[in-house]
């Protein structure tokens, strides 16, 4: 066993111990998808992470050749991969490890570079800020005023 193969077997993938169902379905259907359609879906997913609104007909405009089930499953897989990758800091999940994990998931090489550029590209800090702003948070107290009324009795 080579050093690279042993290294992959010794660690858990960035998507977790079990491959999410959305990613498994995407892997099956991504072979039917051309590069242009994949990039459009990736752009929609990044826009969603930025907190911007997505037009209602965005998926209709992606591809007229593919059935909507394929488009939706590929989008769900892309979104899940980005969600799993962006929850880890870029220092924790290195680019090479990310690409190795995607290769191990049997995602075609032509799409791995696009996914890596979305996760490690120039928009990474913007995505991190948007996730921190729009992500789920525990309740907290913004302002607190304390008023004490003291009554002095002479009885």
């Amino acid at each position: 066993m080579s050093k690279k193969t042993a290294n992959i077997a010794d660690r858990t993938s960035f998507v977790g111990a079990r491959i999410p169902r959305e990613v498994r379905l995407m892997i099956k259907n991504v072979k039917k998808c051309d590069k242009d359609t994949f990039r459009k879906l990736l752009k929609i997913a990044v826009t969603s992470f930025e907190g911007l609104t997505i037009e209602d007909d965005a998926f209709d405009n992606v591809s007229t050749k593919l059935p909507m089930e394929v488009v939706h499953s590929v989008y769900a897989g892309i979104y899940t991969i980005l969600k799993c990758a962006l929850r880890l800091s870029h220092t924790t999940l290195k680019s090479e490890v990310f690409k190795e994990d995607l290769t191990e998931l049997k995602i075609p090489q032509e799409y791995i570079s696009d996914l890596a550029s979305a996760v490690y590209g120039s928009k990474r800090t913007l995505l991190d800020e948007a996730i921190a702003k729009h992500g789920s948070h525990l309740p907290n107290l913004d302002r607190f005023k304390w008023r004490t009324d003291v009554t002095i009795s002479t009885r």
Side-chain angles (χ1 to χ4, degrees):
M1 191 183 291
S2 71
K3 184 177 179 181
K4 184 177 179 182
T5 309
N7 201 12
I8 292 172
D10 291 342
R11 64 178 171 75
T12 304
S13 171
F14 74 94
V15 294
R18 293 183 66 196
I19 300 171
R21 192 173 131 246
E22 296 89 357
V23 176
R24 282 186 279 135
L25 285 172
M26 183 199 85
I27 293 167
K28 262 197 308 193
N29 290 321
V30 79
K31 295 172 182 98
K32 301 173 188 173
C33 189
D34 63 333
K35 192 167 180 91
D36 186 49
T37 303
F38 186 85
R39 284 186 171 167
K40 287 178 183 176
L41 291 172
L42 183 61
K43 185 175 181 179
I44 293 172
V46 169
T47 302
S48 174
F49 275 105
E50 289 174 343
L52 303 173
T53 56
I54 299 171
E55 298 173 17
D56 294 335
D57 61 343
F59 292 103
D60 297 333
N61 297 335
V62 169
S63 177
T64 55
K65 297 177 274 183
L66 293 173
M68 285 310 286
E69 296 126 12
V70 172
V71 171
H72 287 220
S73 70
V74 171
Y75 173 77
I78 290 171
Y79 189 89
T80 304
I81 287 172
L82 291 179
K83 181 177 72 171
C84 292
L86 292 172
R87 73 177 170 185
L88 302 169
S89 71
H90 64 282
T91 56
T92 304
L93 180 63
K94 302 287 185 197
S95 176
E96 302 81 34
V97 174
F98 178 70
K99 290 177 182 178
E100 284 176 15
D101 287 350
L102 292 177
T103 303
E104 189 177 307
L105 290 172
K106 296 183 177 75
I107 293 177
Q109 194 64 39
E110 59 186 323
Y111 303 135
I112 290 175
S113 60
D114 292 337
L115 287 166
S117 68
V119 173
Y120 295 99
S122 60
K123 288 191 171 187
R124 176 61 190 243
T125 55
L126 181 68
L127 290 173
D128 287 340
E129 290 171 4
I131 289 170
K133 181 180 177 186
H134 300 293
S136 58
H137 298 284
L138 294 173
N140 60 358
L141 196 57
D142 288 336
R143 226 178 299 151
F144 183 73
K145 288 185 179 181
W146 186 269
R147 184 179 138 188
T148 306
D149 289 333
V150 177
T151 307
I152 300 175
S153 174
T154 57
R155 284 194 211 192

